[in-house]
Each structure stands twice: as structure tokens, then as C-alpha cells.
Amino acid sequence: MSSTPRPLVAGNWKMNGLSASISEIETIAQHYDAGLRAKVELAICPPATLLSRAAPIVAGAEIRLGGQDCHAKANGAHTGDISAEMLADAGAAYVIVGHSERRCDHGESDALVRAKAEAGLRAGLAPIVCVGETRAERDAGRASEIVERQLDGSLPQDVAPERLVVAYEPVWAIGTGLTPTLQDVAQMHAAIRARLVTLFGAGAGATRILYGGSVKPANAGELLRIANVDGALIGGASLTAKDFLAIAEIYR
Ligand code: PGA
């Protein structure tokens, strides 16, 4: 397997953030010094309405921006949707696809998630493809099987492994304050890595596998030190610069 990639800490603001929230991005940019940059990459996925406002602020700080979803098509009659090309044009480098809130609230299938991931690549964005089991699936002992099926169905088929990011986010851990045991995280991330190697070959060591679901400054230290955890996708705790930076600082 190739050398371990620089970890990625990505903030998913979801449907939160108005103009005033730009100050949080300014604070993050001010504190992201060369020492921290060398250890960890930061990305912020604000609502699409703030992307072009955030772009000039993060440019000098080398913080990446991301969209939270995209349409599979580049343009056309799709009222209310945003294409990957539009996200890239507004300053994004990443796009989250297949988040469980999209899979559940909008009925997104693995095939659609794959099409969106491929749209991201087409537009020059690195897709962050989310997978994760529900509580019922974990209780039934089906977590690994579900995640493997999501990986097989949702990952883009033709991708350089270093351009791909996978986020393991157990649905029951998102926004609940609950997290899996460290052993369960280790086991799932090892299984995801093995699946990536099967799909993409030895170069799959370059794909970052993020953990997501109730990551906070208080638990980030132990979660981020687990083997095959190459960073985090953070919802609630990414909304304030203070908590987001405290999580990133684990890597310093
Ligand atoms: P959370 O969300 O950190 O608020 O649990 C994570 C996510 O949904 O990406």
C-alpha cells in the first residue's frame, strides 16, 4: 500500500449559515498556520449560497471548500438543483455525495450517488462519498454487509484513488452524540480499506477514509488515532471555528 495520505478534516455545515457565519471561516483561516497545514488538510462545506463569499477568504489559507450535494447533469431544466460545475465555478474543490440525509430525505439510491460522484469528477471536484448503516442494520449484525454494498454501488468506477474520499458515517451516530466503539470504528475502516483495495488495487492506500458522526473536540483524539481513519467529516461541531479548530489541532 502507498504511503498514508495527509488527513482531511471536513466540516459539513448542512442547512446552516448566513452571511454572519463568514466570520467563522475567517477565524479558521487566521488560525490555520503553516505548522497545522503540514499536518492536516481542512475543508469547509457551507451552504452553496456562501461558497463564493468564502472563496476569497480561504484562498490564501489553502483551506478547501466543498458543496454538500450536486446534480448528476452539468446543466439543464432541473429547478432548484446545483451542478458540480456550478460548485467548482463558485470555488469548491470537493463535493459531498450520498450523505445519509440525502439518501433518507431524498430517497437517493446507490446508483444516483455514483452518478453524482462521477459528476463531481467530471467537474474537477474530489467526491466525498458517504456510507453508513442504520441502528437496526447494526443491531441485526448487517453493518459490514450494508456498507460494502453501498461502496460497491456508490463509488465512481474510474477514479484515481487519491482523488476519492470515503466517509463512514453510521446513520445512528449523526447528530445524536452517540458514537460506535473504537473497536467498531477500527473494524469498519479496515473493512472499507480492504474493499477499496479490491476495487482499486494497491493504490487504494491513497484514498482517505473519514469517520463522521458526533465527532467533537472531546472524542476526536481517540477516534482520529484509529488505524485507517484518515480524518473526519464533522457536522454540528464544524459550525463554530473554536470546535472545528480544536478537532484539527489533534493532528498538530
Ligand atoms: P454530526 O454530523 O457531526 O453533527 O454528527 C456529521 C455529518 O452528518 O456529516
Side-chain angles (χ1 to χ4, degrees):
M1 232 178 260
S2 51
S3 61
T4 317
R6 188 168 60 137
L8 170 65
V9 170
N12 172 13
W13 283 16
K14 309 191 179 184
M15 200 173 70
N16 298 291
L18 301 172
S19 301
S21 316
I22 288 291
S23 66
E24 300 297 327
I25 299 178
E26 284 166 349
T27 306
I28 293 166
Q30 280 156 15
H31 286 77
Y32 189 47
D33 56 30
L36 195 55
R37 276 205 296 272
K39 297 286 179 59
V40 59
E41 181 181 350
L42 296 187
I44 301 169
C45 305
T49 47
L50 292 182
L51 277 175
S52 53
R53 296 274 304 275
I57 297 165
V58 302
E62 291 176 41
I63 294 167
R64 308 278 172 245
L65 296 175
Q68 300 174 10
D69 177 50
C70 66
H71 196 280
K73 299 240 170 72
N75 51 56
H78 304 287
T79 302
D81 281 315
I82 293 179
S83 72
E85 282 75 3
M86 291 168 178
L87 295 172
D89 185 51
Y94 287 99
V95 61
I96 298 170
V97 294
H99 189 281
S100 74
E101 286 150 20
R102 302 288 317 175
R103 289 180 185 267
C104 299
D105 298 356
H106 301 268
E108 294 193 1
S109 66
D110 285 336
L112 181 61
V113 174
R114 167 176 284 157
K116 291 181 173 202
E118 288 174 346
L121 291 168
R122 180 189 67 216
L125 305 178
I128 301 175
V129 182
C130 301
V131 296
E133 82 285 355
T134 63
R135 181 80 248 177
E137 287 162 347
R138 175 159 286 276
D139 290 346
R142 298 180 57 219
S144 304
E145 168 205 331
I146 296 294
V147 167
E148 193 163 302
R149 200 167 68 204
Q150 290 174 334
L151 290 171
D152 289 357
S154 314
L155 294 181
Q157 277 171 318
D158 186 17
V159 60
E162 65 274 10
R163 289 195 65 204
L164 177 66
V165 180
V166 173
Y168 169 56
E169 300 205 305
V171 178
W172 51 274
I174 294 174
T176 59
L178 303 172
T179 52
T181 66
L182 302 183
Q183 289 80 356
D184 284 343
V185 173
Q187 205 172 36
M188 186 62 84
H189 279 243
I192 292 171
R193 180 74 66 204
R195 195 71 200 153
L196 291 172
V197 170
T198 304
L199 294 171
F200 300 113
T207 296
R208 287 171 295 183
I209 308 174
L210 312 183
Y211 169 77
S214 296
V215 179
K216 310 284 177 210
N219 63 15
E222 52 187 14
L223 286 164
L224 296 179
R225 278 187 205 100
I226 298 171
N228 290 303
V229 174
D230 307 307
L233 183 56
I234 302 161
S238 73
L239 294 175
T240 64
K242 183 170 160 288
D243 282 355
F244 188 65
L245 285 166
I247 293 167
E249 283 287 339
I250 304 282
Y251 285 107
R252 189 186 289 274

